[in-house]
Amino acid sequence: MNEISMAQALNAALRDAVKDDDRVLIFGEDVGPLGGVFRVTDGITADFGEERCFDTPLAEAGIVGFAVGMAMGGFRPVVEMQFDAFAYPAFEQITSHVAKLRNRTRGALSLPMVIRIPYAGGIGGVEHHCDSSEAYYTHTPGLRVVTPGTPQDAYDLLRDAIDSPDPVIFLEPKCRYWAKEAVSFTRGKAPMDRAVVRRAGKDVTLLAYGPMVATALETAEAATAEGWDVEVVDLRSLNPFDDETVSASVRRTGRAVVVHEAAGFGGYGAEVVARVTEQCFHRLHAPVLRVTGLDIPYPPPKLERHQLPDVDRILDTIARLQWHDEPVVAGA
């Protein structure tokens, strides 16, 4: 197998879906002849025609509303929001209609559609181009929310998302678009709603997703110098959440750290901490901690490195996990 980038893996998934299912349509801003800002749809219009992959006006609410109608009519639309914060004008369509139509019609109608959103930072972009907006979507019942951390997962998850009978918010970590690995195009790997242990360890579990998976793995390697054997779990599916895999890992290690780029206050990691604490309380040797972005609007490019969790910040947090029993000082 040849190594390909995450963007190329996503392109391959879209091509295979269009080829395998006449109901799959791809549309959004500049996804046609240009191939998208990040070239994820490169060449698809040329190879399959404008009937299958086409440009839309710059109107995100209209793009998603049109996709709702197409899905109700039996198609499987895959739409792109050009950047994370560009999706906010479509938020009412997503929360009021995409997420609720199956419930509203008592199951008579479903919306098999995928909303692709390039998200998070690490590319030197400015605000409106680097939001980590996952908590908005995971808080909305009726939506599946997934995010790949590797090129292989990009292919697998996107194929599964397009096949899903439910609407899927597909969050693509922009800073990993150019990461490469050997990718198999064979179906039947880990189901879309399951987490995956990327690295086995016995001392502490790092829980990460999307852009932070690679950072967590880098941290795990660096942690060996400190004498820590770190397990890395890639959540993959943010909603529904794979309690079984996550809890099994934390029960083995007894310690856990959640890592994400989004702001800490009210962030997705808070839900993960709550679930792990509730289900693993009697097996924990220390409180579950978080390493997150700062509680500020996304900073300008020259300050971006201070916003993003890195190896040093994660190692510092692991060091706070009460590794030695210390006497309790009265009044402290």
Side-chain angles (χ1 to χ4, degrees), residues 37 44 116 132 144 146 152 194 231 253 281 287 313:
V37 171
I44 296 179
R116 295 179 40 246
S132 294
R144 289 182 178 268
V146 300
Q152 181 66 67
R194 301 291 292 194
E231 181 151 300
T253 64
F281 181 77
R313 283 179 60 192

Side-chain angles (χ1 to χ4, degrees), residues 30-308:
D30 296 324
V31 302
L34 178 65
V37 171
F38 299 100
R39 301 301 186 266
V40 171
T41 56
D42 188 38
I44 296 179
T45 298
D47 292 343
F48 293 95
E50 291 186 349
E51 298 82 9
R52 305 297 301 280
C53 181
F54 53 89
D55 290 334
T56 65
L58 305 182
E60 286 78 10
I63 295 169
V64 174
F66 179 57
V68 169
M70 297 294 284
M72 290 174 67
F75 290 92
R76 288 181 174 267
V78 181
V79 304
E80 178 183 299
M81 303 284 100
Q82 200 167 70
F83 285 92
D84 28 51
F86 289 15
Y88 296 152
F91 197 66
E92 193 276 332
Q93 287 284 345
I94 294 170
T95 58
S96 296
H97 304 294
V98 174
K100 295 181 173 64
L101 188 68
R102 183 193 291 276
N103 185 70
R104 184 182 299 136
T105 62
R106 298 185 180 182
L109 288 174
S110 61
L111 290 180
M113 58 184 287
V114 178
I115 301 174
R116 295 179 40 246
I117 304 176
Y119 86 117
I123 63 167
V126 295
E127 61 179 17
H128 303 116
H129 295 76
C130 291
D131 273 13
S132 294
S133 47
E134 59 267 29
Y136 300 139
Y137 302 111
T138 58
H139 186 67
T140 304
L143 300 175
R144 289 182 178 268
V145 184
V146 300
T147 179
T150 68
Q152 181 66 67
D153 247 13
Y155 180 85
D156 295 337
L157 286 175
L158 187 52
R159 291 301 308 273
D160 288 347
I162 294 171
D163 288 346
S164 174
D166 303 310
V168 180
I169 304 296
F170 195 91
L171 300 172
E172 300 172 5
K174 296 190 291 288
C175 68
R176 303 301 177 194
Y177 272 140
W178 303 277
K180 290 187 175 183
E181 71 173 355
V183 174
S184 167
F185 301 129
T186 305
R187 305 294 299 279
K189 302 180 183 67
M192 181 171 64
D193 57 356
R194 301 291 292 194
V196 171
V197 177
R198 297 287 178 199
R199 183 187 191 276
K202 61 182 178 60
D203 294 330
V204 55
T205 299
L206 285 186
L207 299 167
Y209 56 88
M212 285 291 107
V213 172
T215 305
L217 289 168
E218 185 181 353
T219 302
E221 292 301 317
T224 59
E226 305 293 333
W228 297 316
D229 188 10
V230 177
E231 181 151 300
V232 176
V233 176
D234 179 355
L235 298 181
R236 302 173 77 245
S237 175
L238 305 187
N239 191 12
F241 187 81
D242 183 2
D243 288 295
E244 182 180 356
T245 301
V246 170
S247 295
S249 174
V250 176
R251 290 188 186 112
R252 283 195 303 272
T253 64
R255 294 177 172 86
V257 174
V258 185
V259 185
H260 63 64
E261 284 190 24
F265 189 87
Y268 182 77
E271 174 65 22
V272 179
V273 171
R275 298 179 84 91
V276 170
T277 302
E278 290 168 2
Q279 296 175 37
C280 305
F281 181 77
H282 293 290
R283 302 291 291 273
L284 289 172
H285 303 313
V288 183
L289 300 180
R290 290 176 290 167
V291 183
T292 72
L294 306 177
D295 293 331
I296 60 172
Y298 204 83
K302 289 185 178 180
L303 299 177
E304 184 180 47
R305 68 186 186 280
H306 300 296
Q307 168 77 2
L308 303 177

